[in-house]
Amino acid sequence: MAQTGRRDFGPETTTDEVLEGIDLSGRTALVTGASGGLGAETARALASRGARVILAARDREKLDAVAESIRRATAAEVETVALELGSLAGIRAAAGRVLERHQALHVLVNNAGVMACPESRTEDGFELQFGVNHLGHFLLTGLLAPALLRGGSARIVCVSSRGHQQSPVRWDDLFFEKEPYDKWAAYGQSKTANVLHAVELERRLGGRGVHAFAVHPGVIPTDLSRHMEREDFEHIRRRSGGQLRLKTVAQGAATSVYAATAPELEGRGGVYLEDCHVAEVNDDPESREGVRSYALDPAAAARLWELSEELVGQRLPV
Ligand SMILES: NC(=O)c1ccc[n+]([C@@H]2O[C@H](COP(=O)([O-])OP(=O)(O)OC[C@H]3O[C@@H](n4cnc5c(N)ncnc54)[C@H](OP(=O)(O)O)[C@@H]3O)[C@@H](O)[C@H]2O)c1
């Protein structure tokens, strides 16, 4: 695609186009869920501009293969760290390993995720989607915050989804203990929590040079759909009003890379981006565009922070 300028970025913009002219040498970025899909591409793109990248996920073999392919394609330093976001002990161990090796971090992309899985629990008893997508990243980010603050200027990217429109945080029944489990409501609330996490991170850290962004990547065929059945694809098609536009992985990861690096976002944060732009607030239940106001509500963001600290059993140094 011929690029005419950063202001023309849109749904078809790729990671490499976003990074044109940007030098990331001397910067260290950690990307979760980097063993495939959008995370692997996000890490590759950042590395291609000179960032040292730390790839985090569960599957060692897949991580090593992605790391090797990035080393072959770039001159960047590439490390891996085993991370199970469904285990608080596992997250503490992974964060400890990162902090032992790195004084400072400049980019944290909270990208790992699971979608619409059958009802299950994390090691610590949390509903899996809320536990992995939100609480796992909440703890990881809190533990890594001192290194991000030492980075001087740093960005946190919370990879959310348009799926946040399917549910606000279910304050009275977070883990579906009162009502029957609904895999899409569970995904929706976890993705709303990702946006609220960015809002509260920005409030707490923005004044100290660490800015946080929530991102909707678009709709990209990846392994994320591994739990989906035929009727789920129908459900998504119906929700999109028959106008489902698929992106490539490089287009899908572009908004994360944009949030992590765009000079025009300097000094901003606590916003939700899609197609490499800050999205409008949109509460029209018929519309799939933009971000619901409940996901940007500062009071809900503060409430979620407190609740999350209670659930992970730790006050975070943020
Ligand atoms: N693809 C889309 O259309 C789309 C749309 C909207 C939002 N998103 C969001 O984009 C992000 C990336 O999705 P994707 O499409 O790239 O999916 P994907 O290909 O399934 O990749 C998901 C990544 O998350 C990791 N992961 C899953 N469970 C984990 C756990 N318990 N602990 C640690 N890592 C875990 C996986 O690694 P291992 O299994 O190897 O550990 C994998 O690297 C997700 O947050 C998703 O919600 C995607």
Side-chain angles (χ1 to χ4, degrees), residues 32-40 56-60 62-63 83-87 110-115 128 132-133 137 159-163 187 190-191 194 215-226 246 249 256:
T32 71
S35 60
L38 303 179
R58 289 171 299 182
D59 188 317
R60 256 279 159 229
K62 283 202 265 170
L63 268 183
L83 171 68
E84 167 54 88
L85 285 162
S87 157
N110 288 331
N111 161 84
V114 59
M115 178 176 80
L128 192 84
V132 168
N133 298 353
H137 282 125
V159 181
S160 175
S161 168
R162 180 169 291 170
Y187 183 64
S190 76
K191 292 287 136 180
N194 292 151
V215 160
H216 167 57
V219 181
I220 308 99
T222 64
D223 284 349
L224 191 68
S225 59
R226 64 174 71 100
L246 293 183
V249 169
S256 292

Side-chain angles (χ1 to χ4, degrees), residues 61-76:
E61 263 180 46
K62 283 202 265 170
L63 268 183
D64 287 343
V66 174
E68 199 39 47
S69 76
I70 296 177
R71 282 190 201 105
R72 274 199 305 271
T74 71

Side-chain angles (χ1 to χ4, degrees), residues 205-248:
L205 298 173
R208 291 185 275 164
V210 179
H211 294 283
F213 300 88
V215 160
H216 167 57
V219 181
I220 308 99
T222 64
D223 284 349
L224 191 68
S225 59
R226 64 174 71 100
H227 298 294
M228 281 172 62
E229 294 159 21
R230 179 192 286 266
E231 70 246 31
D232 295 317
F233 287 102
E234 269 314 306
H235 166 88
I236 287 190
R237 242 189 303 277
R238 264 197 318 277
R239 282 183 56 83
S240 70
Q243 296 181 332
L244 199 59
R245 190 159 57 169
L246 293 183
K247 289 187 180 184
T248 65

Side-chain angles (χ1 to χ4, degrees), residues 84-102:
E84 167 54 88
L85 285 162
S87 157
L88 297 179
I91 295 161
R92 291 187 174 108
R97 282 194 292 276
V98 172
L99 293 173
E100 265 169 32
R101 292 180 57 88
H102 300 280

Side-chain angles (χ1 to χ4, degrees), residues 64-291:
D64 287 343
V66 174
E68 199 39 47
S69 76
I70 296 177
R71 282 190 201 105
R72 274 199 305 271
T74 71
E77 274 178 59
V78 186
E79 290 176 25
T80 59
V81 62
L83 171 68
E84 167 54 88
L85 285 162
S87 157
L88 297 179
I91 295 161
R92 291 187 174 108
R97 282 194 292 276
V98 172
L99 293 173
E100 265 169 32
R101 292 180 57 88
H102 300 280
Q103 267 287 312
L105 284 177
H106 307 94
V107 173
L108 170 63
V109 185
N110 288 331
N111 161 84
V114 59
M115 178 176 80
C117 54
E119 183 166 23
S120 46
R121 303 270 155 186
T122 66
E123 189 178 288
D124 306 280
F126 310 135
E127 183 283 312
L128 192 84
Q129 298 190 68
F130 191 79
V132 168
N133 298 353
H134 170 61
L135 287 173
H137 282 125
F138 173 80
L139 178 60
L140 181 73
T141 306
L143 295 174
L144 296 180
L148 289 159
L149 285 163
R150 281 193 291 272
S153 93
R155 302 234 181 135
I156 301 168
V157 182
C158 302
V159 181
S160 175
S161 168
R162 180 169 291 170
H164 81 274
Q165 297 175 353
Q166 300 187 79
S167 178
V169 173
R170 300 159 45 89
W171 302 106
D172 297 329
D173 192 17
L174 210 55
F175 300 152
F176 296 84
E177 287 155 335
K178 296 182 187 158
E179 282 180 24
Y181 178 67
D182 175 329
K183 61 188 180 184
W184 288 110
Y187 183 64
Q189 87 158 342
S190 76
K191 292 287 136 180
T192 294
N194 292 151
V195 188
L196 292 170
H197 189 206
V199 170
E200 183 64 10
L201 281 168
E202 180 64 25
R203 192 185 70 77
R204 289 171 179 252
L205 298 173
R208 291 185 275 164
V210 179
H211 294 283
F213 300 88
V215 160
H216 167 57
V219 181
I220 308 99
T222 64
D223 284 349
L224 191 68
S225 59
R226 64 174 71 100
H227 298 294
M228 281 172 62
E229 294 159 21
R230 179 192 286 266
E231 70 246 31
D232 295 317
F233 287 102
E234 269 314 306
H235 166 88
I236 287 190
R237 242 189 303 277
R238 264 197 318 277
R239 282 183 56 83
S240 70
Q243 296 181 332
L244 199 59
R245 190 159 57 169
L246 293 183
K247 289 187 180 184
T248 65
V249 169
Q251 291 167 343
T255 305
S256 292
V257 167
Y258 180 79
T261 63
E264 55 271 36
L265 293 176
E266 209 42 66
R268 292 192 70 178
V271 292
Y272 173 99
L273 307 173
E274 57 187 354
D275 298 336
C276 302
H277 282 100
V278 176
E280 302 285 323
V281 174
N282 185 346
D283 284 329
D284 174 357
E286 297 306 314
S287 170
R288 299 289 160 250
E289 299 300 314
V291 55

